Structure formats: C-alpha cells, structure tokens
mmCIF file of all heavy atoms in Angstrom:
data_model
loop_
_atom_site.group_PDB
_atom_site.id
_atom_site.type_symbol
_atom_site.label_atom_id
_atom_site.label_comp_id
_atom_site.label_asym_id
_atom_site.label_seq_id
_atom_site.Cartn_x
_atom_site.Cartn_y
_atom_site.Cartn_z
ATOM 1 N N PRO A 18 -40.088 61.788 35.024
ATOM 2 C CA PRO A 18 -40.153 60.443 35.593
ATOM 3 C C PRO A 18 -38.943 60.153 36.484
ATOM 4 O O PRO A 18 -37.914 60.843 36.414
ATOM 5 C CB PRO A 18 -40.105 59.565 34.346
ATOM 6 C CG PRO A 18 -39.255 60.349 33.406
ATOM 7 C CD PRO A 18 -39.616 61.792 33.657
ATOM 8 N N GLY A 19 -39.059 59.124 37.285
ATOM 9 C CA GLY A 19 -37.913 58.609 38.024
ATOM 10 C C GLY A 19 -37.096 57.703 37.114
ATOM 11 O O GLY A 19 -37.507 57.397 35.996
ATOM 12 N N ASP A 20 -35.945 57.289 37.598
ATOM 13 C CA ASP A 20 -35.116 56.380 36.820
ATOM 14 C C ASP A 20 -35.821 55.036 36.624
ATOM 15 O O ASP A 20 -36.502 54.535 37.521
ATOM 16 C CB ASP A 20 -33.779 56.129 37.521
ATOM 17 C CG ASP A 20 -32.816 57.302 37.409
ATOM 18 O OD1 ASP A 20 -33.132 58.276 36.698
ATOM 19 O OD2 ASP A 20 -31.747 57.235 38.044
ATOM 20 N N ALA A 21 -35.676 54.485 35.445
ATOM 21 C CA ALA A 21 -36.126 53.126 35.103
ATOM 22 C C ALA A 21 -34.978 52.538 34.289
ATOM 23 O O ALA A 21 -34.887 52.754 33.083
ATOM 24 C CB ALA A 21 -37.422 53.162 34.315
ATOM 25 N N SER A 22 -34.073 51.853 34.968
ATOM 26 C CA SER A 22 -32.797 51.462 34.380
ATOM 27 C C SER A 22 -32.903 50.243 33.462
ATOM 28 O O SER A 22 -33.869 49.471 33.509
ATOM 29 C CB SER A 22 -31.787 51.156 35.487
ATOM 30 O OG SER A 22 -32.107 49.929 36.121
ATOM 31 N N ILE A 23 -31.865 50.079 32.676
ATOM 32 C CA ILE A 23 -31.746 48.901 31.820
ATOM 33 C C ILE A 23 -31.678 47.653 32.701
ATOM 34 O O ILE A 23 -32.272 46.624 32.377
ATOM 35 C CB ILE A 23 -30.490 49.006 30.927
ATOM 36 C CG1 ILE A 23 -30.640 50.181 29.963
ATOM 37 C CG2 ILE A 23 -30.236 47.712 30.172
ATOM 38 C CD1 ILE A 23 -29.366 50.533 29.244
ATOM 39 N N GLU A 24 -30.981 47.750 33.815
ATOM 40 C CA GLU A 24 -30.877 46.599 34.718
ATOM 41 C C GLU A 24 -32.248 46.201 35.260
ATOM 42 O O GLU A 24 -32.565 45.010 35.336
ATOM 43 C CB GLU A 24 -29.907 46.922 35.871
ATOM 44 C CG GLU A 24 -28.464 47.082 35.432
ATOM 45 C CD GLU A 24 -28.151 48.426 34.750
ATOM 46 O OE1 GLU A 24 -28.920 49.407 34.925
ATOM 47 O OE2 GLU A 24 -27.145 48.482 34.025
ATOM 48 N N ASP A 25 -33.073 47.190 35.621
ATOM 49 C CA ASP A 25 -34.442 46.898 36.067
ATOM 50 C C ASP A 25 -35.229 46.210 34.949
ATOM 51 O O ASP A 25 -35.937 45.227 35.183
ATOM 52 C CB ASP A 25 -35.177 48.181 36.467
ATOM 53 C CG ASP A 25 -34.647 48.822 37.729
ATOM 54 O OD1 ASP A 25 -33.967 48.142 38.521
ATOM 55 O OD2 ASP A 25 -34.913 50.029 37.922
ATOM 56 N N LEU A 26 -35.098 46.739 33.747
ATOM 57 C CA LEU A 26 -35.805 46.182 32.598
ATOM 58 C C LEU A 26 -35.368 44.743 32.337
ATOM 59 O O LEU A 26 -36.203 43.854 32.149
ATOM 60 C CB LEU A 26 -35.555 47.047 31.362
ATOM 61 C CG LEU A 26 -36.164 46.562 30.055
ATOM 62 C CD1 LEU A 26 -37.692 46.562 30.129
ATOM 63 C CD2 LEU A 26 -35.680 47.431 28.898
ATOM 64 N N GLN A 27 -34.076 44.501 32.348
ATOM 65 C CA GLN A 27 -33.578 43.158 32.077
ATOM 66 C C GLN A 27 -33.997 42.174 33.174
ATOM 67 O O GLN A 27 -34.320 41.027 32.895
ATOM 68 C CB GLN A 27 -32.062 43.180 31.899
ATOM 69 C CG GLN A 27 -31.672 43.875 30.600
ATOM 70 C CD GLN A 27 -30.182 44.019 30.427
ATOM 71 O OE1 GLN A 27 -29.462 44.408 31.355
ATOM 72 N NE2 GLN A 27 -29.704 43.709 29.232
ATOM 73 N N ARG A 28 -34.023 42.623 34.422
ATOM 74 C CA ARG A 28 -34.486 41.767 35.526
ATOM 75 C C ARG A 28 -35.961 41.404 35.323
ATOM 76 O O ARG A 28 -36.357 40.249 35.472
ATOM 77 C CB ARG A 28 -34.262 42.487 36.860
ATOM 78 C CG ARG A 28 -34.544 41.638 38.066
ATOM 79 C CD ARG A 28 -34.099 42.253 39.404
ATOM 80 N NE ARG A 28 -34.220 43.698 39.522
ATOM 81 C CZ ARG A 28 -33.195 44.550 39.452
ATOM 82 N NH1 ARG A 28 -31.967 44.122 39.239
ATOM 83 N NH2 ARG A 28 -33.403 45.840 39.605
ATOM 84 N N LEU A 29 -36.762 42.380 34.947
ATOM 85 C CA LEU A 29 -38.175 42.128 34.673
ATOM 86 C C LEU A 29 -38.344 41.131 33.529
ATOM 87 O O LEU A 29 -39.111 40.178 33.623
ATOM 88 C CB LEU A 29 -38.892 43.439 34.338
ATOM 89 C CG LEU A 29 -40.340 43.323 33.888
ATOM 90 C CD1 LEU A 29 -41.215 42.771 35.013
ATOM 91 C CD2 LEU A 29 -40.847 44.665 33.402
ATOM 92 N N HIS A 30 -37.596 41.330 32.458
ATOM 93 C CA HIS A 30 -37.700 40.439 31.299
ATOM 94 C C HIS A 30 -37.249 39.020 31.625
ATOM 95 O O HIS A 30 -37.860 38.049 31.151
ATOM 96 C CB HIS A 30 -36.925 41.009 30.120
ATOM 97 C CG HIS A 30 -37.620 42.166 29.487
ATOM 98 N ND1 HIS A 30 -37.049 42.929 28.513
ATOM 99 C CD2 HIS A 30 -38.852 42.710 29.710
ATOM 100 C CE1 HIS A 30 -37.901 43.882 28.145
ATOM 101 N NE2 HIS A 30 -38.993 43.767 28.872
ATOM 102 N N ARG A 31 -36.218 38.875 32.450
ATOM 103 C CA ARG A 31 -35.801 37.525 32.871
ATOM 104 C C ARG A 31 -36.914 36.855 33.666
ATOM 105 O O ARG A 31 -37.223 35.684 33.460
ATOM 106 C CB ARG A 31 -34.520 37.583 33.702
ATOM 107 C CG ARG A 31 -33.256 37.706 32.891
ATOM 108 C CD ARG A 31 -32.013 37.475 33.746
ATOM 109 N NE ARG A 31 -31.915 38.358 34.895
ATOM 110 C CZ ARG A 31 -31.387 39.596 34.874
ATOM 111 N NH1 ARG A 31 -30.905 40.086 33.732
ATOM 112 N NH2 ARG A 31 -31.329 40.319 35.957
ATOM 113 N N THR A 32 -37.529 37.613 34.559
ATOM 114 C CA THR A 32 -38.608 37.072 35.389
ATOM 115 C C THR A 32 -39.801 36.651 34.537
ATOM 116 O O THR A 32 -40.413 35.615 34.764
ATOM 117 C CB THR A 32 -39.053 38.112 36.440
ATOM 118 O OG1 THR A 32 -37.935 38.413 37.274
ATOM 119 C CG2 THR A 32 -40.197 37.593 37.288
ATOM 120 N N LEU A 33 -40.123 37.456 33.538
ATOM 121 C CA LEU A 33 -41.274 37.182 32.676
ATOM 122 C C LEU A 33 -40.955 36.213 31.539
ATOM 123 O O LEU A 33 -41.863 35.737 30.864
ATOM 124 C CB LEU A 33 -41.821 38.486 32.094
ATOM 125 C CG LEU A 33 -42.382 39.480 33.101
ATOM 126 C CD1 LEU A 33 -42.784 40.773 32.401
ATOM 127 C CD2 LEU A 33 -43.556 38.883 33.859
ATOM 128 N N GLY A 34 -39.681 35.953 31.303
ATOM 129 C CA GLY A 34 -39.290 35.059 30.220
ATOM 130 C C GLY A 34 -39.375 35.711 28.847
ATOM 131 O O GLY A 34 -39.640 35.032 27.851
ATOM 132 N N LEU A 35 -39.143 37.015 28.776
ATOM 133 C CA LEU A 35 -39.188 37.727 27.501
ATOM 134 C C LEU A 35 -37.798 37.757 26.876
ATOM 135 O O LEU A 35 -36.806 37.984 27.566
ATOM 136 C CB LEU A 35 -39.712 39.150 27.698
ATOM 137 C CG LEU A 35 -41.126 39.245 28.262
ATOM 138 C CD1 LEU A 35 -41.486 40.691 28.563
ATOM 139 C CD2 LEU A 35 -42.124 38.618 27.321
ATOM 140 N N ASP A 36 -37.734 37.520 25.570
ATOM 141 C CA ASP A 36 -36.451 37.446 24.869
ATOM 142 C C ASP A 36 -36.077 38.716 24.116
ATOM 143 O O ASP A 36 -34.903 38.949 23.832
ATOM 144 C CB ASP A 36 -36.476 36.297 23.853
ATOM 145 C CG ASP A 36 -36.625 34.948 24.514
ATOM 146 O OD1 ASP A 36 -36.101 34.766 25.638
ATOM 147 O OD2 ASP A 36 -37.274 34.061 23.913
ATOM 148 N N ARG A 37 -37.078 39.512 23.729
ATOM 149 C CA ARG A 37 -36.822 40.677 22.876
ATOM 150 C C ARG A 37 -37.560 41.889 23.440
ATOM 151 O O ARG A 37 -38.487 41.751 24.220
ATOM 152 C CB ARG A 37 -37.287 40.392 21.448
ATOM 153 C CG ARG A 37 -36.597 39.196 20.825
ATOM 154 C CD ARG A 37 -37.118 38.833 19.442
ATOM 155 N NE ARG A 37 -38.534 38.509 19.474
ATOM 156 C CZ ARG A 37 -39.433 38.975 18.601
ATOM 157 N NH1 ARG A 37 -39.060 39.777 17.618
ATOM 158 N NH2 ARG A 37 -40.694 38.637 18.698
ATOM 159 N N VAL A 38 -37.139 43.075 22.964
ATOM 160 C CA VAL A 38 -37.743 44.298 23.473
ATOM 161 C C VAL A 38 -37.715 45.392 22.404
ATOM 162 O O VAL A 38 -36.780 45.460 21.612
ATOM 163 C CB VAL A 38 -37.009 44.789 24.754
ATOM 164 C CG1 VAL A 38 -35.558 45.133 24.482
ATOM 165 C CG2 VAL A 38 -37.730 45.965 25.395
ATOM 166 N N VAL A 39 -38.748 46.231 22.414
ATOM 167 C CA VAL A 39 -38.784 47.446 21.611
ATOM 168 C C VAL A 39 -38.812 48.618 22.595
ATOM 169 O O VAL A 39 -39.769 48.785 23.342
ATOM 170 C CB VAL A 39 -40.014 47.498 20.677
ATOM 171 C CG1 VAL A 39 -40.041 48.821 19.910
ATOM 172 C CG2 VAL A 39 -40.025 46.312 19.732
ATOM 173 N N ILE A 40 -37.731 49.391 22.579
ATOM 174 C CA ILE A 40 -37.628 50.552 23.449
ATOM 175 C C ILE A 40 -38.138 51.758 22.682
ATOM 176 O O ILE A 40 -37.607 52.109 21.628
ATOM 177 C CB ILE A 40 -36.182 50.767 23.917
ATOM 178 C CG1 ILE A 40 -35.706 49.535 24.696
ATOM 179 C CG2 ILE A 40 -36.072 52.033 24.761
ATOM 180 C CD1 ILE A 40 -34.239 49.557 25.066
ATOM 181 N N VAL A 41 -39.184 52.370 23.210
ATOM 182 C CA VAL A 41 -39.798 53.541 22.579
ATOM 183 C C VAL A 41 -39.284 54.784 23.299
ATOM 184 O O VAL A 41 -39.373 54.887 24.524
ATOM 185 C CB VAL A 41 -41.339 53.456 22.654
ATOM 186 C CG1 VAL A 41 -41.974 54.695 22.058
ATOM 187 C CG2 VAL A 41 -41.833 52.187 21.966
#
C-alpha cells in the first residue's frame, strides 16, 4: 500500500466528527 498517515486519519476524523478509533 501507499502511505496512510496518522495525520491523514486525524484530519478525516475531525471532518467526520469521530471521537474514537480502532486501528487494525
């Protein structure tokens, strides 16, 4: 895969209004 950074993930979660995450 290509990079999928924590910063990308956190930006997505802020946009979606998500508070928690399960990283698999």
Side-chain angles (χ1 to χ4, degrees):
D20 285 354
S22 73
I23 295 169
E24 293 77 20
D25 291 341
L26 177 64
Q27 290 176 315
R28 187 170 35 256
L29 174 64
H30 286 173
R31 279 192 304 275
T32 299
L33 296 175
L35 299 174
D36 296 326
R37 301 176 300 134
V38 62
V39 177
I40 300 173
V41 177

